[in-house]
Amino acid sequence: MQKNYFIALEGIDGSGKSTQVKLLSDKLKKEGFKIYTTFEPTDSPIGSVIKNIFRHRIEADHRTIAGLYVADRLDHLLNKTNGILKKMEEGYTVVTDRYYFSSYAYQGTHMSMDWVIQANSLSAELLRPDLTIFIDVQPEVSMQRLSEGRDMIQLYESLENLHNVRSKYMEAFDRLKNEEIVFITDGNRPVDAIANDVWTKVYSLLKPHGTFAAKD
Ligand code: ADP
């Protein structure tokens, strides 16, 4: 039986995560995988509160936001209807646009990263990604992309903050290098070059499990 996988895409805003989630998912589908793509913050009631905070419709402290992310992630995993764990049980390979490293990096710019990692430990115990892919983009490049594609610059998207978030991602990868498998790709390049790198890495992850045995 084909093994299924859990893959998380990470990066600062505008790094190209959703673009690469789509390309990777399409490629995996072509290879015969059942694919479920998803994202955080989710569309659940908890995720909606988070989105309303970004849109400045609700005011909240960073510690409150960190707690909301913990809850949203647990629901993302455990929801009985469309939770990631249920999808994995059903044989789907799940590709998510953001997972707990986003909390370590974004909330880690405002509060103790140790606390954020601890607060998310239940999610890490429930499901660690088989692979986390970090699309590493210069904040100036991502800001340029966002200004072309969107009219609303959200709470997290100021240039200075994106620099801080990028360095917190690097700090988190270093702290968790013994627990997590992280692949960093240069996201300043054209979409296809990044997609090729991502595919080469994912292929190397899947191959030892015999997923492509028939073709080799
Ligand atoms: P994210 O999901 O990380 O916020 P998106 O995938 O939505 O990023 O990309 C943000 C914008 O940048 C979109 O307009 C997208 O078309 C564009 N984009 C994505 N990847 C690249 C790339 N490698 N080079 C140039 N533009 C890109």
Side-chain angles (χ1 to χ4, degrees), residues 21-22 25-26 29 35-39 93-97:
V21 163
K22 172 88 175 66
S25 304
D26 288 349
K29 271 184 208 159
I35 296 294
Y36 179 68
T37 61
T38 182
F39 52 86
T93 280
V94 177
V95 183
T96 184
D97 182 338

Side-chain angles (χ1 to χ4, degrees), residues 53-133:
I53 294 168
F54 293 157
R55 290 174 189 136
H56 304 287
R57 290 180 189 152
I58 303 175
E59 190 277 326
D61 187 88
H62 288 293
R63 289 160 287 193
T64 313
I65 298 174
L68 285 167
Y69 269 113
V70 170
D72 187 43
R73 186 158 299 121
L74 286 170
D75 186 61
H76 197 195
L77 287 166
L78 296 166
N79 191 284
K80 288 202 166 72
T81 315
N82 60 358
I84 294 174
L85 292 178
K86 181 161 191 292
K87 295 289 180 187
M88 297 287 291
E89 266 170 40
E90 290 169 357
Y92 283 92
T93 280
V94 177
V95 183
T96 184
D97 182 338
R98 297 198 180 284
Y99 194 48
Y100 46 59
F101 271 110
S102 285
S103 284
Y104 306 163
Y106 282 80
Q107 272 70 59
T109 62
H110 302 288
M111 55 194 290
S112 149
M113 192 189 292
D114 282 335
W115 187 90
V116 185
I117 292 173
Q118 262 308 308
N120 280 280
S121 59
L122 202 47
S123 292
E125 282 163 28
L126 285 166
L127 190 62
R128 265 184 212 286
D130 294 293
L131 179 66
T132 296
I133 297 164

Side-chain angles (χ1 to χ4, degrees), residues 12-20 97 145-146 149-150 187 189-191 194:
I12 61 173
D13 302 274
S15 56
K17 294 179 308 304
S18 62
T19 303
Q20 296 298 331
D97 182 338
R145 288 181 193 168
L146 290 174
R150 293 182 205 173
R189 298 170 299 155
V191 170
I194 303 163

